[in-house]
C-alpha cells in the first residue's frame, strides 16, 4: 500500500469515527441516560410542533397531511418512589425506573413519545388520541405496571398514578402539562394507583 492509499484509508477511518461520535452525541442529547426515554427538552419541542400543526392548519389539510386532530398527554408518577429507594437502595430504584420506562414504551404506538420529565416523573404524548382513548391507554399502562415483578425482590410491588389531558382544552403546551399535572395530583390525593382525567375541578 502506497502513502496516498494509507492516507486515504486513515481519512476514511477518521470520518467513520467522527460520524459515530456525532451519532452518539445526538442520541445523548435526546435520550435520558438511565431510562433510554426521550429527554424533557426533546419532548417539549416535539409536542409544541405537533400542537402547532393541529391548531394552525385547516381541518381538511390536517386530515389529508397528518391524519390526526388531537394530541393527548399522560403525566405519570411512580408511587412512593422515595420509599423504594430508602427500602431497597438506589440501584433497585434505578431498576424500577428502567422497568417502568420499558413498560411504557411497549404500551404506546409508533408516533407516540415517552419521556423522562424528571426524577420518577414520566410523560407521554399520544398522537391522534382523544381524551377517551388516552384515558383507556392510561388505565392499560396502570395495570401493566401494577403487574410488574422483580425477580431479585419478589415482595416489591410498584404502582403509578396518572393524569390525563387532551389538546381539545388548549393549544398551549405549558398549560396542557400544567393541567395533566393537576389531574396527576388528583390521582395521588385520592389514594394513588389511579388514573384521573383533567377537569376544571382539578385546579
Amino acid at each position: 500500500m502506497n502513502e496516498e492509499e494509507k492516507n486515504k484509508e486513515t481519512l476514511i477511518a477518521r470520518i467513520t469515527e467522527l460520524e459515530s461520535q456525532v451519532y452518539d452525541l445526538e442520541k445523548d442529547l435526546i435520550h435520558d441516560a438511565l431510562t433510554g426515554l426521550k429527554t424533557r427538552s426533546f419532548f417539549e419541542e416535539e409536542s409544541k410542533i405537533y400542537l402547532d400543526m393541529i391548531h394552525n392548519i385547516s381541518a381538511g389539510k390536517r386530515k389529508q397531511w397528518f391524519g390526526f386532530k388531537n394530541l393527548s398527554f399522560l403525566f405519570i408518577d411512580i408511587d412512593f418512589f422515595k420509599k423504594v429507594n430508602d427500602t431497597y437502595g438506589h440501584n433497585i430504584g434505578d431498576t424500577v425506573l428502567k422497568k417502568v420506562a420499558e413498560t411504557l414504551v411497549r404500551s404506546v404506538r409508533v408516533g407516540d413519545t415517552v419521556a423522562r420529565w424528571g426524577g420518577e416523573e414520566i410523560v407521554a404524548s399520544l398522537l391522534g388520541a382523544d381524551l377517551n382513548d388516552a384515558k383507556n391507554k392510561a388505565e392499560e399502562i396502570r395495570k401493566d405496571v401494577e403487574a410488574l415483578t422483580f425477580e431479585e425482590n419478589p415482595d416489591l410491588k410498584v404502582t403509578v398514578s396518572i393524569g390525563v389531558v387532551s389538546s381539545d382544552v388548549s393549544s398551549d403546551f405549558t398549560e396542557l402539562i400544567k393541567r395533566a399535572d393537576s389531574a396527576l395530583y388528583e390521582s395521588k390525593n385520592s389514594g394513588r394507583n389511579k388514573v384521573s382525567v383533567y377537569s376544571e375541578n382539578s385546579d
Side-chain angles (χ1 to χ4, degrees):
M1 183 183 295
N2 60 38
E3 192 67 26
E4 184 179 346
E5 289 174 333
K6 286 181 180 178
N7 289 338
K8 185 177 180 181
E9 190 175 271
T10 300
L11 180 60
I12 291 172
R14 181 57 179 154
I15 290 171
T16 302
E17 180 185 352
L18 287 171
E19 287 176 343
S20 177
Q21 289 174 353
V22 169
Y23 174 82
D24 290 341
L25 179 60
E26 289 177 343
K27 186 177 179 183
D28 289 345
L29 288 173
I30 66 171
H31 288 90
D32 174 64
L34 175 63
T35 63
L37 299 177
K38 292 296 193 300
T39 60
R40 176 172 174 169
S41 58
F42 176 89
F43 184 86
E44 290 179 351
E45 289 306 311
E46 181 188 65
S47 297
K48 288 174 182 177
I49 290 169
Y50 284 151
L51 288 167
D52 185 62
M53 288 194 301
I54 289 169
H55 291 280
N56 294 317
I57 297 175
S58 69
K61 289 183 178 180
R62 185 168 63 231
K63 184 176 180 181
Q64 180 182 354
W65 292 349
F66 307 111
F68 64 85
K69 61 180 181 178
N70 292 66
L71 183 66
S72 292
F73 294 103
L74 310 182
F75 208 132
I76 303 150
D77 185 82
I78 300 175
D79 295 326
F80 303 112
F81 186 69
K82 183 179 184 302
K83 185 177 179 181
V84 172
N85 279 327
D86 291 345
T87 304
Y88 298 95
H90 288 275
N91 286 340
I92 299 300
D94 288 349
T95 298
V96 167
L97 261 174
K98 287 187 278 190
K99 204 159 185 177
V100 170
E102 290 167 2
T103 301
L104 291 170
V105 171
R106 284 197 305 269
S107 296
V108 300
R109 308 154 303 169
V110 174
D112 297 334
T113 301
V114 185
R116 188 177 182 188
W117 191 253
E120 72 274 20
E121 292 181 328
I122 297 172
V123 288
S125 61
L126 307 179
L127 193 57
D130 62 20
L131 197 59
N132 191 57
D133 294 333
K135 180 182 178 183
N136 289 338
K137 177 56 67 176
E139 187 60 32
E140 177 187 317
I141 288 170
R142 185 195 67 77
K143 290 177 181 177
D144 287 346
V145 172
E146 189 177 27
L148 287 175
T149 57
F150 299 86
E151 191 172 315
E152 294 181 4
N153 301 90
D155 59 327
L156 175 58
K157 297 297 179 186
V158 175
T159 61
V160 291
S161 298
I162 306 177
V164 183
V165 72
S166 170
S167 61
D168 284 343
V169 299
S170 176
S171 61
D172 181 75
F173 173 77
T174 301
E175 184 63 27
L176 285 166
I177 288 297
K178 178 182 176 183
R179 292 176 174 185
D181 191 37
S182 295
L184 166 63
Y185 274 88
E186 184 178 326
S187 292
K188 294 173 73 171
N189 291 334
S190 60
R192 302 178 192 258
N193 192 23
K194 292 185 177 181
V195 172
S196 297
V197 174
Y198 171 80
S199 68
E200 296 300 328
N201 294 328
S202 302
D203 293 330

